[in-house]
Amino acid sequence: GHTTGPSLNNDKLYKFAYSAEVYVDRVKASLQKSAGYRISSGVDVNLLWRNPDNDDDQLVKITMKDVQVENVNERPAAKNIFKGKSTEKIIGKEHLEALQRPILIELVRGKVKTFYSYQNEPGFTQNIKRGLASLFQLQLHSGSSREVDISGKCDTTYHVRQDQVTKIKDLDSCETERKRFTSHSRILDVSTKATSATVYVLEDSFIKSIKAEENFVFIVNYRRKTGAKIVSKQRLELKSVQAGMGLIAAKQVAGVIKTLDPNYVAMPLEAEPVKSECKKCPSLSEHWQSIREQMHPDKLSKPEAAKSFLSFIQNIRKATKEEILKIIKSENKELLPQVVDAVTSAQTPESLEAILEFLDFKDASAFILQERFLYACGFASHPSETLLKSLTEKFKGDVASQEIRETLVIVMGALIRKLCDREGCKLPAVVEAKRLILNRLEKAKKDDNVQMYLLALKNALLPEAIPVLLKYAESGEGPISSLAASALQRYDPSFLNKEVKETMNRIYHQTRKVHEKTVRTTAAAIILNSNPSYMEVKNILLSIGELPMEMNKYMLSMIQDILRFEMPSSKTVRQVLKDMRAHNYDRFSKMGSSSAYTGYITRGPDVSSTYSLDILYSGSGILRRSNLNIRVFDRSTELHAIQVVLEAQGLESIIAATPDEGEENLDSFAGMSTILFDFQLRPVTFFQGYGDLMSKMLSATGDPMNVVKGLVLLTDFLQEIQLQSGPTASAEFMGGLAIDISGGMEFSLWYRESKTSVKNRGAMFIAGNTEVDSFFIKTGVETTLETETALDFISTVQFSQYPFLVCMQMDRVDAPFRTHMTKYESLPSGRRYTARRGKAATLAGNEYPLHQENSNMCKKVFGTKSDSAGSWF
């Protein structure tokens, strides 16, 4: 009769040669040098039973014989870990016996209907046999379907050409219970690609040969050279056909199995999860003792700190709540903040329970630990709904410190956004947190409260919050309207509808009321960044010349930057400028010191990064706002890596100058607001009010104020893989950053000079381990990359004359850069083969060019120091 699957002849024994190979290496490397291993064996196949009512229902026995384990590539004797060891010694007697016990498969129309094996066999050997059984599944007509094999339930497509069948399995479609998580930002994440193809050659309606190949590739998006691949190959070749046993007569399969061996049980063909036990692994506290020195606060801008942080997280992820608490409770106060960073970044249910049990938000003295915990939550790579729920509960409860209360809600905003980005907007905890923030903002009376809910919305970026932000931007008081406008600036331009643009135009042109310069310039930036119309650009250009002195210069500088850096709106700006030629000269020859400038830090094939620096002064030469941004982007996404905004107001009285129009009654204030990796931190105040300012000025040490210090888990990727030949594999990539950002302002009345500085210190460590784990051997490739750098931004202003002199400097020190790669094969006995490669280089330091005008001014500032000294009092 006609069959749609392969058909075995009665009374025949088919003898095959089988091999399964695994290779692990860097992505671009050739397989001849890879780490890996090969399992080879004979395979006997014979038909036991054919359904009397359906020719296409067959019970087949498959037996592995003479199993061998060897290197996948030729190795000299000294580097061969299998040398002098029999298969029994390598695999172990009981595993080898299990592997060579036959399995049975019932094939119906070429698909494995049932897989029979013995119970209580080790999962590892069972999976190798499942991998072999899965090869026998094929259909003899072209088409696609979802079918189950060792990889789970997957979309599979068959192409049939005469005696050749190609089976393509879409590995991304497989439904399996494998552990997997990725980083929040695409740029910080790892790209993966997985393919599987099997080619069958048939002869005499049964299999002559099978070649299967599976490929997995992992690439770190921001450095595509850092990555790994796993290649798994299977081969089955028919060597001979001999006379075999006769068939067993029975109506049903069950009868055959009973006759043959009642110990056979039907099992799923999908692989069972297996983990090899770690024999010599240190306990969590032993591991902590070995790295704690590296985590000292003084070492926090070194790559070793970031490296230790990553290995600590890996171990915390395997630990119980009690083991974690034991370390937290016994550590001293210098090291505790770093422990909190790591425990929070681990993001397991156990680590969250441990830290929440330890932290008491009713205790104001533990401020530092609470803040480090909350910031680590804000940076979380794959936050859970439980985390947001716990923070919402804490926020509703008693919180001793007002600053921690503010930080709590700001972090809740960041978690809402991360969960929404992963299709989690409808989760109960997210819905509740959104409602809480929007409702409380509506009822908030005090400015401080309004500010903290606006900061939360600046992180959450909810489309439904845009109308509220517009209301505060247009009708709020100075700092509040400034904050609401800066929140709108963070939205993707596609969300900024007609209403947003109309409001921003009203604010900029002061149609309804007088606004502060800081808000007006933000409104202009939003208009110019969201596909502005010809008229919008024309009205902004016509306003230049009518604005307060320094704002004229600032807007002019912003327009020049758009043209010079070819930003999206530059075409429209060019068009308008061409048509306005007549009255340009006077308007565009304005004096002043404010400026805006954008340039590249790096331009690479994988990612590029830009810095932008804009500075707005008041008419008397005192800083109103300086804004430093670093953005990283690839072809499709952008990451706001750093933003440091220094804001000051009402400082004219110190130098007995006249405040700008409309700013006569502003309270003295200076502070700093930071965004780090798309996450807005709680702003820091340097001083508030005239009295506070005077006392700080007289005692000014000029020491910068620390804004953020700690360890951040940037890249956090793990994928567990079931190879179709039986072993399990995993790819894990982690990137840690040790960071220290500080900022400050100092005045020298003697030199009539002020200085603002922002120091960014950082060290990064990336570690990747891609490993194939068979119970008797582990093979893989480890890659590491480390670098450290410092970026300083200093602006010096001399206001003894007008236009006052401003010199801005942005410097990056030399950055050492080291990469290592290790390929390895290791046996449980400790015998190990490794091949290492390393490279070290230095990224030369750089003084980033700002505009020419700035360079000229710096020469003057640093040339005029000595002679102005006597002219002050």
Side-chain angles (χ1 to χ4, degrees), residues 99-117:
L99 203 49
Q100 301 192 358
R101 257 179 236 133
I103 49 170
L104 313 178
I105 53 173
E106 184 184 0
L107 285 174
V108 178
R109 287 192 291 283
K111 304 292 170 87
V112 178
K113 182 185 170 195
T114 324
F115 168 76
Y116 297 94
S117 186

PDB file of all heavy atoms in Angstrom, residues 99-117:
ATOM      1  N   LEU A  99      23.084   4.015  27.742  1.00  0.00           N
ATOM      2  CA  LEU A  99      23.131   4.526  26.374  1.00  0.00           C
ATOM      3  C   LEU A  99      22.952   3.406  25.356  1.00  0.00           C
ATOM      4  O   LEU A  99      22.351   3.595  24.304  1.00  0.00           O
ATOM      5  CB  LEU A  99      24.496   5.220  26.177  1.00  0.00           C
ATOM      6  CG  LEU A  99      24.619   6.272  25.077  1.00  0.00           C
ATOM      7  CD1 LEU A  99      23.501   7.288  25.149  1.00  0.00           C
ATOM      8  CD2 LEU A  99      25.969   6.970  25.162  1.00  0.00           C
ATOM      9  N   GLN A 100      23.471   2.206  25.700  1.00  0.00           N
ATOM     10  CA  GLN A 100      23.421   1.099  24.735  1.00  0.00           C
ATOM     11  C   GLN A 100      22.173   0.228  24.892  1.00  0.00           C
ATOM     12  O   GLN A 100      22.012  -0.750  24.177  1.00  0.00           O
ATOM     13  CB  GLN A 100      24.725   0.281  24.837  1.00  0.00           C
ATOM     14  CG  GLN A 100      25.941   1.184  24.543  1.00  0.00           C
ATOM     15  CD  GLN A 100      27.260   0.437  24.336  1.00  0.00           C
ATOM     16  OE1 GLN A 100      27.327  -0.773  24.443  1.00  0.00           O
ATOM     17  NE2 GLN A 100      28.315   1.175  24.035  1.00  0.00           N
ATOM     18  N   ARG A 101      21.285   0.605  25.838  1.00  0.00           N
ATOM     19  CA  ARG A 101      19.998  -0.110  25.920  1.00  0.00           C
ATOM     20  C   ARG A 101      19.095   0.376  24.792  1.00  0.00           C
ATOM     21  O   ARG A 101      18.985   1.581  24.578  1.00  0.00           O
ATOM     22  CB  ARG A 101      19.317   0.215  27.259  1.00  0.00           C
ATOM     23  CG  ARG A 101      19.443  -0.917  28.266  1.00  0.00           C
ATOM     24  CD  ARG A 101      18.794  -0.571  29.601  1.00  0.00           C
ATOM     25  NE  ARG A 101      19.802  -0.715  30.645  1.00  0.00           N
ATOM     26  CZ  ARG A 101      20.033   0.174  31.609  1.00  0.00           C
ATOM     27  NH1 ARG A 101      19.312   1.267  31.692  1.00  0.00           N
ATOM     28  NH2 ARG A 101      20.967  -0.057  32.488  1.00  0.00           N
ATOM     29  N   PRO A 102      18.429  -0.548  24.070  1.00  0.00           N
ATOM     30  CA  PRO A 102      17.639  -0.131  22.896  1.00  0.00           C
ATOM     31  C   PRO A 102      16.433   0.755  23.273  1.00  0.00           C
ATOM     32  O   PRO A 102      15.919   0.674  24.383  1.00  0.00           O
ATOM     33  CB  PRO A 102      17.148  -1.449  22.304  1.00  0.00           C
ATOM     34  CG  PRO A 102      17.716  -2.544  23.120  1.00  0.00           C
ATOM     35  CD  PRO A 102      18.409  -1.982  24.301  1.00  0.00           C
ATOM     36  N   ILE A 103      16.015   1.571  22.306  1.00  0.00           N
ATOM     37  CA  ILE A 103      14.753   2.312  22.440  1.00  0.00           C
ATOM     38  C   ILE A 103      13.822   1.831  21.343  1.00  0.00           C
ATOM     39  O   ILE A 103      14.265   1.229  20.346  1.00  0.00           O
ATOM     40  CB  ILE A 103      14.973   3.837  22.272  1.00  0.00           C
ATOM     41  CG1 ILE A 103      15.814   4.134  21.012  1.00  0.00           C
ATOM     42  CG2 ILE A 103      15.616   4.447  23.504  1.00  0.00           C
ATOM     43  CD1 ILE A 103      15.885   5.600  20.623  1.00  0.00           C
ATOM     44  N   LEU A 104      12.536   2.089  21.483  1.00  0.00           N
ATOM     45  CA  LEU A 104      11.549   1.734  20.459  1.00  0.00           C
ATOM     46  C   LEU A 104      10.818   3.010  20.046  1.00  0.00           C
ATOM     47  O   LEU A 104      10.550   3.869  20.883  1.00  0.00           O
ATOM     48  CB  LEU A 104      10.516   0.740  21.013  1.00  0.00           C
ATOM     49  CG  LEU A 104      11.033  -0.466  21.808  1.00  0.00           C
ATOM     50  CD1 LEU A 104       9.849  -1.299  22.323  1.00  0.00           C
ATOM     51  CD2 LEU A 104      11.940  -1.336  20.939  1.00  0.00           C
ATOM     52  N   ILE A 105      10.522   3.140  18.761  1.00  0.00           N
ATOM     53  CA  ILE A 105       9.661   4.256  18.348  1.00  0.00           C
ATOM     54  C   ILE A 105       8.539   3.724  17.478  1.00  0.00           C
ATOM     55  O   ILE A 105       8.736   2.829  16.640  1.00  0.00           O
ATOM     56  CB  ILE A 105      10.436   5.369  17.587  1.00  0.00           C
ATOM     57  CG1 ILE A 105      11.240   4.817  16.398  1.00  0.00           C
ATOM     58  CG2 ILE A 105      11.354   6.143  18.511  1.00  0.00           C
ATOM     59  CD1 ILE A 105      11.882   5.919  15.541  1.00  0.00           C
ATOM     60  N   GLU A 106       7.356   4.268  17.720  1.00  0.00           N
ATOM     61  CA  GLU A 106       6.233   3.936  16.840  1.00  0.00           C
ATOM     62  C   GLU A 106       6.120   5.046  15.816  1.00  0.00           C
ATOM     63  O   GLU A 106       5.917   6.220  16.167  1.00  0.00           O
ATOM     64  CB  GLU A 106       4.923   3.822  17.636  1.00  0.00           C
ATOM     65  CG  GLU A 106       3.777   3.367  16.728  1.00  0.00           C
ATOM     66  CD  GLU A 106       2.418   3.313  17.432  1.00  0.00           C
ATOM     67  OE1 GLU A 106       2.341   3.636  18.639  1.00  0.00           O
ATOM     68  OE2 GLU A 106       1.431   2.966  16.760  1.00  0.00           O
ATOM     69  N   LEU A 107       6.333   4.694  14.547  1.00  0.00           N
ATOM     70  CA  LEU A 107       6.258   5.679  13.467  1.00  0.00           C
ATOM     71  C   LEU A 107       4.913   5.561  12.783  1.00  0.00           C
ATOM     72  O   LEU A 107       4.552   4.485  12.286  1.00  0.00           O
ATOM     73  CB  LEU A 107       7.352   5.410  12.427  1.00  0.00           C
ATOM     74  CG  LEU A 107       8.798   5.781  12.788  1.00  0.00           C
ATOM     75  CD1 LEU A 107       9.739   5.304  11.679  1.00  0.00           C
ATOM     76  CD2 LEU A 107       8.945   7.286  12.961  1.00  0.00           C
ATOM     77  N   VAL A 108       4.163   6.676  12.753  1.00  0.00           N
ATOM     78  CA  VAL A 108       2.899   6.683  12.017  1.00  0.00           C
ATOM     79  C   VAL A 108       3.012   7.756  10.943  1.00  0.00           C
ATOM     80  O   VAL A 108       3.234   8.931  11.259  1.00  0.00           O
ATOM     81  CB  VAL A 108       1.706   6.964  12.954  1.00  0.00           C
ATOM     82  CG1 VAL A 108       0.407   7.006  12.143  1.00  0.00           C
ATOM     83  CG2 VAL A 108       1.626   5.905  14.036  1.00  0.00           C
ATOM     84  N   ARG A 109       2.908   7.345   9.700  1.00  0.00           N
ATOM     85  CA  ARG A 109       3.114   8.254   8.557  1.00  0.00           C
ATOM     86  C   ARG A 109       4.412   9.048   8.698  1.00  0.00           C
ATOM     87  O   ARG A 109       4.459  10.255   8.472  1.00  0.00           O
ATOM     88  CB  ARG A 109       1.925   9.198   8.401  1.00  0.00           C
ATOM     89  CG  ARG A 109       0.676   8.498   7.836  1.00  0.00           C
ATOM     90  CD  ARG A 109      -0.392   9.466   7.409  1.00  0.00           C
ATOM     91  NE  ARG A 109      -1.006  10.155   8.542  1.00  0.00           N
ATOM     92  CZ  ARG A 109      -1.909   9.580   9.341  1.00  0.00           C
ATOM     93  NH1 ARG A 109      -2.273   8.318   9.118  1.00  0.00           N
ATOM     94  NH2 ARG A 109      -2.428  10.254  10.332  1.00  0.00           N
ATOM     95  N   GLY A 110       5.475   8.386   9.155  1.00  0.00           N
ATOM     96  CA  GLY A 110       6.787   9.025   9.222  1.00  0.00           C
ATOM     97  C   GLY A 110       7.033   9.853  10.473  1.00  0.00           C
ATOM     98  O   GLY A 110       8.147  10.297  10.717  1.00  0.00           O
ATOM     99  N   LYS A 111       5.992  10.097  11.294  1.00  0.00           N
ATOM    100  CA  LYS A 111       6.185  10.902  12.508  1.00  0.00           C
ATOM    101  C   LYS A 111       6.251   9.978  13.721  1.00  0.00           C
ATOM    102  O   LYS A 111       5.569   8.953  13.776  1.00  0.00           O
ATOM    103  CB  LYS A 111       5.013  11.898  12.696  1.00  0.00           C
ATOM    104  CG  LYS A 111       4.783  12.824  11.497  1.00  0.00           C
ATOM    105  CD  LYS A 111       5.921  13.821  11.305  1.00  0.00           C
ATOM    106  CE  LYS A 111       5.836  14.571   9.995  1.00  0.00           C
ATOM    107  NZ  LYS A 111       5.027  15.784  10.034  1.00  0.00           N
ATOM    108  N   VAL A 112       7.075  10.388  14.706  1.00  0.00           N
ATOM    109  CA  VAL A 112       7.195   9.570  15.914  1.00  0.00           C
ATOM    110  C   VAL A 112       5.947   9.777  16.760  1.00  0.00           C
ATOM    111  O   VAL A 112       5.746  10.848  17.331  1.00  0.00           O
ATOM    112  CB  VAL A 112       8.455   9.967  16.725  1.00  0.00           C
ATOM    113  CG1 VAL A 112       8.528   9.141  18.014  1.00  0.00           C
ATOM    114  CG2 VAL A 112       9.718   9.759  15.901  1.00  0.00           C
ATOM    115  N   LYS A 113       5.112   8.751  16.818  1.00  0.00           N
ATOM    116  CA  LYS A 113       3.886   8.864  17.619  1.00  0.00           C
ATOM    117  C   LYS A 113       4.215   8.627  19.092  1.00  0.00           C
ATOM    118  O   LYS A 113       3.741   9.333  19.973  1.00  0.00           O
ATOM    119  CB  LYS A 113       2.851   7.853  17.120  1.00  0.00           C
ATOM    120  CG  LYS A 113       1.535   7.952  17.865  1.00  0.00           C
ATOM    121  CD  LYS A 113       0.552   6.854  17.445  1.00  0.00           C
ATOM    122  CE  LYS A 113      -0.639   6.848  18.404  1.00  0.00           C
ATOM    123  NZ  LYS A 113      -1.422   5.622  18.277  1.00  0.00           N
ATOM    124  N   THR A 114       5.044   7.613  19.353  1.00  0.00           N
ATOM    125  CA  THR A 114       5.419   7.324  20.745  1.00  0.00           C
ATOM    126  C   THR A 114       6.885   6.924  20.810  1.00  0.00           C
ATOM    127  O   THR A 114       7.400   6.232  19.927  1.00  0.00           O
ATOM    128  CB  THR A 114       4.581   6.145  21.310  1.00  0.00           C
ATOM    129  OG1 THR A 114       3.267   6.205  20.777  1.00  0.00           O
ATOM    130  CG2 THR A 114       4.518   6.201  22.827  1.00  0.00           C
ATOM    131  N   PHE A 115       7.541   7.371  21.890  1.00  0.00           N
ATOM    132  CA  PHE A 115       8.947   7.054  22.137  1.00  0.00           C
ATOM    133  C   PHE A 115       8.973   6.183  23.398  1.00  0.00           C
ATOM    134  O   PHE A 115       8.443   6.583  24.442  1.00  0.00           O
ATOM    135  CB  PHE A 115       9.709   8.372  22.332  1.00  0.00           C
ATOM    136  CG  PHE A 115      11.112   8.228  22.882  1.00  0.00           C
ATOM    137  CD1 PHE A 115      12.162   7.788  22.080  1.00  0.00           C
ATOM    138  CD2 PHE A 115      11.396   8.554  24.215  1.00  0.00           C
ATOM    139  CE1 PHE A 115      13.452   7.671  22.588  1.00  0.00           C
ATOM    140  CE2 PHE A 115      12.686   8.449  24.726  1.00  0.00           C
ATOM    141  CZ  PHE A 115      13.716   8.006  23.910  1.00  0.00           C
ATOM    142  N   TYR A 116       9.549   4.971  23.294  1.00  0.00           N
ATOM    143  CA  TYR A 116       9.610   4.060  24.443  1.00  0.00           C
ATOM    144  C   TYR A 116      11.044   3.886  24.912  1.00  0.00           C
ATOM    145  O   TYR A 116      11.939   3.666  24.094  1.00  0.00           O
ATOM    146  CB  TYR A 116       9.081   2.667  24.079  1.00  0.00           C
ATOM    147  CG  TYR A 116       7.625   2.641  23.674  1.00  0.00           C
ATOM    148  CD1 TYR A 116       7.260   2.716  22.329  1.00  0.00           C
ATOM    149  CD2 TYR A 116       6.617   2.507  24.639  1.00  0.00           C
ATOM    150  CE1 TYR A 116       5.925   2.681  21.944  1.00  0.00           C
ATOM    151  CE2 TYR A 116       5.273   2.472  24.265  1.00  0.00           C
ATOM    152  CZ  TYR A 116       4.933   2.560  22.925  1.00  0.00           C
ATOM    153  OH  TYR A 116       3.611   2.521  22.559  1.00  0.00           O
ATOM    154  N   SER A 117      11.241   3.995  26.232  1.00  0.00           N
ATOM    155  CA  SER A 117      12.564   3.736  26.769  1.00  0.00           C
ATOM    156  C   SER A 117      12.385   3.202  28.187  1.00  0.00           C
ATOM    157  O   SER A 117      11.262   2.960  28.623  1.00  0.00           O
ATOM    158  CB  SER A 117      13.384   5.028  26.766  1.00  0.00           C
ATOM    159  OG  SER A 117      14.711   4.742  27.164  1.00  0.00           O
TER     160      SER A 117
END
